[in-house]
Amino acid sequence: RRFALSDDDGTATEIPWGLEPGAQNCDFCQRTLHYEAIHYCVHCDRPICPFCVVEIRESSDIVCSECHEEDE
């Protein structure tokens, strides 16, 4: 079964394959995604989905929300 997103005009579009349920879990929202769609925090190495990731613009580092709070 494929999931669908609704566009602004109400038409359904297919979800990108990497965001469909897969074998990898995000530690923060518990979404299941494909391994190729997961990011890893540069500080704690925990898996993060594209929806929960925090990017530090100055360095382009990918961090989780918990490590980002500790850095501030």
Side-chain angles (χ1 to χ4, degrees):
R1 185 175 134 194
R2 297 217 31 140
F3 294 89
L5 296 172
S6 180
D7 287 339
D8 292 337
D9 63 1
T11 59
T13 58
E14 286 189 32
I15 249 180
W17 71 268
L19 299 180
E20 289 181 353
Q24 186 75 32
N25 286 345
C26 173
D27 282 356
F28 299 92
C29 68
Q30 301 307 313
R31 275 190 175 98
T32 56
L33 301 160
H34 290 277
Y35 176 80
E36 295 85 357
I38 292 289
H39 300 277
Y40 290 88
C41 177
V42 297
H43 298 296
C44 68
D45 203 35
R46 290 170 63 188
I48 319 162
C49 79
F51 300 103
C52 296
V53 77
V54 177
E55 182 177 359
I56 308 300
R57 291 185 187 254
E58 298 83 32
S59 62
S60 296
D61 287 341
I62 301 290
V63 297
C64 67
S65 57
E66 289 178 6
C67 290
H68 183 257
E69 289 175 5
E70 289 175 10
D71 284 348
E72 289 188 53

